[in-house]
Amino acid sequence: MASTLPPPEKKVKVDHDTPLPPSDIEAGSTHPTDLLSREHTDPVLNAKMHLVNDAIDEIGFTPYQWKLFVLNGFGYAVDSLILLIQSIIAGQAALEFSPGWGNGLTVAAYVGMLVGASFWGLTADIIGRKFAFNVSLIICSVFAIVAGASPNWYVLGLFVCLSSFGGGGNLVLDTAVFLEYLPSGKQWMLTLMACWWGIGQLIAGFFAWAFLPNFSCADPSISPDAEPCTYDNNKGWRYVWFASGSLVFVMSILRITVMRLRETPKFLIGEGRDAEAVETLLFIADKYSRSCSLSLEQLQACGSIHKNLDRSKWSPATVGTHLKGLFATRRIGVSTGLIWLSWVLIGLAYPLYNVFLPQYLASRGAEFGQTSAYVTWRNYALVNFSGVWGPVLAGWMCNLKLLGRKYTMVIGALVTCVFFFAYTQVRNQTQNTAFTCIINFCLNVYYGTLYAYTPEVLPSAHRGTGNGLAVSGNRVMGIVSAVVATYADTATPVPIYICAALYVVMAGIAVGFPFEPYGRRSS
């Protein structure tokens, strides 16, 4: 069959085996080579992905991508919003319900996020990005609203878990969908999009600031004369859920009405649906008066992608195919393993540090004083506002040839580690707020880049699965941190230094990543 293929296909195949010589660059593509082109996993798929990348670069950056930046950014915001809301309201809800285990909501949230990331990530690879993109956010919003009406601690935990299940898929899908429409020269914007994570935290802080000081019962441990907490005098945490869920619902509707997302061309190519991929790209080009020279004949000339049509989409063999694809070659396998390890370490280090640090500082004589609820939530909003700007700096840094994605993560992790160690010397409220703002900023330089790097280096056909399992590892560590917080001794500084040292390990792992996406195009 190969002997009958026309010359254009031979040229595409050469593009994937060796760097483009100057003559080919001038005659064909002036764009960077494809990141995974030399891995030889599937020559036909690689050739078609190369043509699709050329078409996306030819169309360029349009208002369609701007819409994706905002509407996909909602998913980032929702993920952080839901995680923070449950931790913010847990104390007030516990005063009303008197639970046996105060960390139960944290575990419920992380379990929901864990299952959601795995399920929606795999779903995105099996039935497509579009369905999961539209449905997951609606599920999250409905159960977030219902959580505000919970009659007891167990029902609240259930609704938190279900809301997190919907929200947990967004972090996986938003990066994949945005990346698969981005021209190569704009891939750095995937890192910038992580600023929405900080915006979600900021919204959570504002909701807490607005409702909790004014509509909450007093803590009997602080005010012995306080009345018992009941439904009537403790509605602040419920208002926080109602407001958050309503906002997420509006976001989910905007996704459907404003965006009307089309299935990504790269997913369609992986499914052998070449005609639909071409139609989608031509639609965008025509809508925004851009040129697109890709044709169905060019894709068909590359050959056919082998798909086992006798196998159910949800069969164990199909799922296994997506898992095997993440280790298709030695370099891809090493890359996948190191990425997953990075997500596990950051998922353990940051929550545990937050768990141990307050008790450690108190044991060393730090005096924060009894600040009002208003001041507490004001400071909380300031800290979250600082986190918005970490990914903005990271987006600029990762687009510098000297740094790229890998060394942006190295710098972010090491600087965070330095301030973590310095934070142990905090002795008053002002220092506490200042250091927390700085750490939140620096941490998001690393975190925001890792969020973007992960889908950039994963094979497109298995991107949802790989990204979902990476985030799932992060959520598992969140559950572990809640358990450790319950039973560990907080008097010793050892866990603090171990958590901070993990950032040095993460910096070392970033150096060892086998792929650098700077100047290269994702599959």
Side-chain angles (χ1 to χ4, degrees), residues 58 103 273 394 477 522:
E58 183 182 358
N103 289 323
R273 296 154 61 181
M477 291 300 103
S522 296

Side-chain angles (χ1 to χ4, degrees), residues 16 18 104-105 145 190 201 212 228 287 292 406 431 489 505:
H16 294 289
T18 60
L105 288 190
I145 294 172
L190 199 62
Q201 292 178 317
L212 292 184
K287 183 174 181 179
C292 179
K406 291 168 56 174
Q431 294 173 354
D489 179 11
V505 177

